Amino acid sequence: MAGVLFFLIVSSPMLLLWVLIVVIHSFWLKPMKLERYLKRQGVTGDPYSFFSGDLKRMGNAVKEACSKPMMELNHAIVPRVIPFVHQTVQKHGKISVTWNGATPRVIIMDSKLMRSILQHKLDQIQKPPLNPHINLLTRGISSLEGDHWFHRRRLMNPAFLMEKLKLMIPAFSTSSTELIKKWERLASTHGSCELDVWPDLQIFSSDVISRAAFGSSYEKGQRIFLLQKEQIRLVLEAASSVYLPGFRFVPTKKNMRRNYLDKEIKSMLRNLINEKEAAMKTGGSMDDDTLLGLLLKNCCNEENEEKKGLTVEDVIEECKLFYFAGQETTAILLTWTMILLSMHPKWQEDARKEVMETCGKEQPDFESINRLKIVSMIFNEVLRLYPPVPGLHRYTRRDIKLGDISFPAGVEIFLPTVMIHHDPECWGEDAEQFNPDRFSEGITKASKNDQNVFFPFGWGPRMCIGLNFSMIEAKMALAMILQRFSFQMSPTYAHAPYTVITLQPQHGAQLILHKL
């Protein structure tokens, strides 16, 4: 296919001329015009490089940052998790520009401006157009825009209401119990054990998603998770280079593998959906406390054409998003929480005391979980220092003015959440310190001057729909862990947070667990 295209181009002078004009305009004239436009307003960065922009420098910065663990066991992680953005801000200021290929990407590390952007009209600021390879991960609600997004969000909201999440507590409890039993077996001989909790917490969160979303166990959904992990690796590899229009159709080995994985994941999810639909129609299983059951019941059974809800393909894409985003977010939150409570044992003891006073040795329920104030403060501080996603991406759909800066259409905006969360101007001189007390009066009063600068799950109308699901799941798991174990840092642990879409421990999370 690529050879045929090349032949057509070189054999037709007019077509060749057209291609040259498009390339020159897209990769030189337009970027240079945008660079001058931004520079006149004081938004500067390293000069634009033809075609690839800053992609090579970004890659080199990440490679260098991840080449070795952090020298000290502290929370000054910004230079490691978004190294090129950090370098650019240090050199060019809190509002500066990098180049994602031929597209300018403006970094905005101004809390007021960031909040304004996240709350801006959805028809003016949207998520950036995705590299087509990235669409293979999910075409769910997180990638939709405009009326399509609004309609999907309205249909899905009922599945995430608190009254529905209460019905999922048994699934959270069952998965947590299995995790605890596994760790108790490992620690049964000597009363303690050393292990990397990161893989186990991934399995735990995967199991929760399988049970709560689909009514199945981790074993049944394990192949979906494994295929999605491979898909993520291949998609990130493709996204790190400039995308040429149409290249995804070229039958390269990796393109064919990406397409195979996409079809296989969809096929397995379609089977789960068909099984659920059949059970609901026959009345053999009316347990609509699963997310899938709620979606099928509330979204797919409406007869009115204007409100017909989701198609089966829509539900498949949302299931892909459940698996990917739901599993990653909670597993990461629990992992960093256990690491930080190992670094700060006093807070671990305070949290355990609260759990024992609230729940005793009994299994936590929805009401007791909601009374865990110290645990909530700890989670918020972990999310501040180690947000699941280090930054948020937006895109100007039309010419707009933000603050004192006019942005032309077609500019990407990067909001570095992790930098805002570590900024002394927002949080005080102890911004790099683990101090859950700052959240003792709630989120709005946690930061300096009572600014709202806490964005671990986004902000505004597009705030993560699964926020409450993730927090209830995490509280249940941590409460049960604290009831049965104390834990400390292993000498083999290497502090190395790094970004693979989400903020993960590069070399694992080796801890020593002690049975209580």
Side-chain angles (χ1 to χ4, degrees):
M1 183 176 177
V4 172
L5 182 61
F6 178 76
F7 174 77
L8 290 174
I9 290 175
V10 299
S11 63
S12 173
M14 291 301 294
L15 185 56
L16 178 59
L17 178 61
W18 176 78
V19 170
L20 287 174
I21 291 173
V22 170
V23 169
I24 291 171
H25 175 265
S26 300
F27 292 98
W28 184 251
L29 297 179
K30 183 179 178 181
M32 294 303 293
K33 179 182 177 181
L34 290 172
E35 184 176 46
R36 289 192 298 270
Y37 185 92
L38 292 169
K39 192 173 183 178
R40 284 197 298 268
Q41 300 183 81
V43 182
T44 62
D46 291 341
Y48 168 68
S49 297
F50 178 72
F51 191 69
S52 63
D54 288 324
L55 288 175
K56 185 176 181 180
R57 289 191 285 269
M58 290 178 189
N60 289 339
V62 170
K63 185 177 180 180
E64 172 63 24
C66 295
S67 63
K68 53 185 178 297
M70 292 176 61
M71 296 295 292
E72 297 181 21
L73 202 62
N74 60 38
H75 309 304
I77 66 171
V78 171
R80 195 176 200 279
V81 299
I82 47 172
F84 189 74
V85 172
H86 176 258
Q87 293 165 15
T88 302
V89 169
Q90 293 292 309
K91 185 176 179 181
H92 297 285
K94 289 190 172 184
I95 300 180
S96 48
V97 64
T98 63
W99 290 89
N100 181 28
T103 303
R105 178 180 287 168
V106 178
I107 302 165
I108 295 183
M109 193 189 156
D110 178 283
S111 59
K112 291 182 180 179
L113 198 52
M114 182 174 180
R115 191 163 55 249
S116 173
I117 290 169
L118 293 175
Q119 294 175 317
H120 213 78
K121 294 180 180 179
L122 297 178
D123 63 336
Q124 296 180 344
I125 296 180
Q126 300 183 347
K127 290 194 173 183
L130 294 178
N131 179 315
H133 288 300
I134 296 178
N135 278 330
L136 293 175
L137 288 179
T138 175
R139 299 175 188 86
I141 188 172
S142 65
S143 63
L144 301 180
E145 296 293 350
D147 291 341
H148 197 183
W149 171 84
F150 180 82
H151 180 63
R152 181 75 59 87
R153 180 88 178 206
R154 182 181 64 81
L155 290 171
M156 293 182 62
N157 274 337
F160 290 91
L161 294 175
M162 198 61 73
E163 63 191 60
K164 299 298 183 182
L165 295 180
K166 285 182 182 180
L167 302 176
M168 298 176 194
I169 289 292
F172 299 159
S173 178
T174 300
S175 298
S176 299
T177 298
E178 291 194 359
L179 173 68
I180 295 297
K181 286 181 177 179
K182 178 180 179 180
W183 286 356
E184 286 180 332
R185 287 194 300 270
L186 292 173
S188 60
T189 303
H190 303 290
S192 63
C193 64
E194 179 178 344
L195 77 157
D196 181 357
V197 300
W198 167 232
D200 283 349
L201 291 173
Q202 287 179 290
I203 292 172
F204 156 76
S205 190
S206 300
D207 191 52
V208 169
I209 292 294
S210 290
R211 293 179 190 276
F214 309 107
S216 61
S217 67
Y218 170 73
E219 285 75 13
K220 191 169 183 179
Q222 185 176 25
R223 180 158 170 76
I224 296 175
F225 289 112
L226 292 176
L227 293 180
Q228 277 202 322
K229 281 189 175 183
E230 183 181 357
Q231 185 75 293
I232 290 169
R233 180 179 60 79
L234 290 172
V235 165
L236 285 177
E237 185 178 318
S240 64
S241 58
V242 176
Y243 177 74
L244 298 176
F247 181 74
R248 71 184 187 278
F249 300 113
V250 178
T252 64
K253 183 178 179 180
K254 289 183 178 179
N255 277 348
M256 289 191 292
R257 182 62 180 172
R258 291 185 191 101
N259 291 327
Y260 165 78
L261 291 171
D262 185 50
K263 291 178 181 177
E264 189 72 7
I265 291 169
K266 285 181 178 178
S267 175
M268 287 185 287
L269 288 171
R270 188 175 286 107
N271 289 338
L272 285 172
I273 290 170
N274 290 339
E275 290 175 8
K276 185 65 177 177
E277 280 188 314
M280 291 172 68
K281 287 178 181 178
T282 60
S285 175
M286 296 304 293
D287 57 336
D288 292 335
D289 51 334
T290 65
L291 287 174
L292 178 57
L294 291 167
L295 283 179
L296 292 173
K297 181 179 179 181
N298 295 330
C299 301
C300 295
N301 295 336
E302 297 186 34
E303 296 179 359
N304 187 310
E305 185 63 24
E306 294 181 359
K307 300 180 180 180
K308 64 181 179 180
L310 306 179
T311 66
V312 171
E313 293 304 312
D314 291 336
V315 175
I316 287 173
E317 293 301 332
E318 296 306 334
C319 288
K320 286 167 64 179
L321 185 59
F322 291 160
Y323 266 107
F324 169 62
Q327 184 265 345
E328 283 285 314
T329 301
T330 311
I332 287 166
L333 172 57
L334 284 169
T335 299
W336 288 120
T337 299
M338 292 191 72
I339 290 172
L340 266 63
L341 290 181
S342 295
M343 292 182 185
H344 305 277
K346 180 186 179 300
W347 280 106
Q348 182 183 155
E349 286 304 314
D350 288 347
R352 180 175 294 105
K353 181 180 179 181
E354 179 183 61
V355 169
M356 298 306 291
E357 289 177 350
T358 304
C359 309
K361 286 288 187 176
E362 299 298 319
Q363 198 165 70
D365 56 23
F366 185 80
E367 286 70 25
S368 61
I369 284 174
N370 281 335
R371 295 199 300 271
L372 298 177
K373 180 180 178 180
I374 293 175
V375 169
S376 296
M377 289 160 49
I378 288 170
F379 275 138
N380 284 335
E381 183 69 341
V382 173
L383 288 167
R384 184 185 72 84
L385 290 170
Y386 297 80
V389 179
L392 303 171
H393 295 266
R394 292 296 184 265
Y395 182 80
T396 57
R397 188 182 176 195
R398 60 186 67 179
D399 295 355
I400 61 171
K401 187 168 185 178
L402 298 169
D404 297 327
I405 303 173
S406 295
F407 290 84
V411 171
E412 288 187 21
I413 296 173
F414 181 68
L415 309 173
T417 306
V418 68
M419 294 187 76
I420 292 288
H421 283 188
H422 286 247
D423 188 358
E425 290 185 16
C426 297
W427 299 93
E429 293 305 314
D430 68 339
E432 302 279 17
Q433 304 299 314
F434 180 72
N435 178 22
D437 266 333
R438 72 177 83 245
F439 287 97
S440 61
E441 296 183 60
I443 289 172
T444 57
K445 293 185 177 295
S447 57
K448 193 175 177 182
N449 301 323
D450 294 341
Q451 300 177 58
N452 184 14
V453 289
F454 185 63
F455 309 114
F457 293 97
W459 191 252
R462 297 203 67 136
M463 181 178 282
C464 176
I465 194 171
L467 167 60
N468 289 328
F469 180 101
S470 180
M471 294 307 298
I472 294 171
E473 174 191 349
K475 286 181 181 179
M476 171 70 77
L478 184 62
M480 292 180 67
I481 291 169
L482 289 169
Q483 283 175 324
R484 291 161 177 82
F485 295 98
S486 64
F487 40 93
Q488 65 187 83
M489 196 71 65
S490 166
T492 62
Y493 173 73
H495 197 45
Y498 81 133
T499 306
V500 189
I501 299 182
T502 51
L503 185 57
Q504 304 178 12
Q506 184 178 359
H507 304 300
Q510 294 78 17
L511 304 179
I512 299 174
L513 305 184
H514 303 278
K515 286 182 65 176
L516 296 176

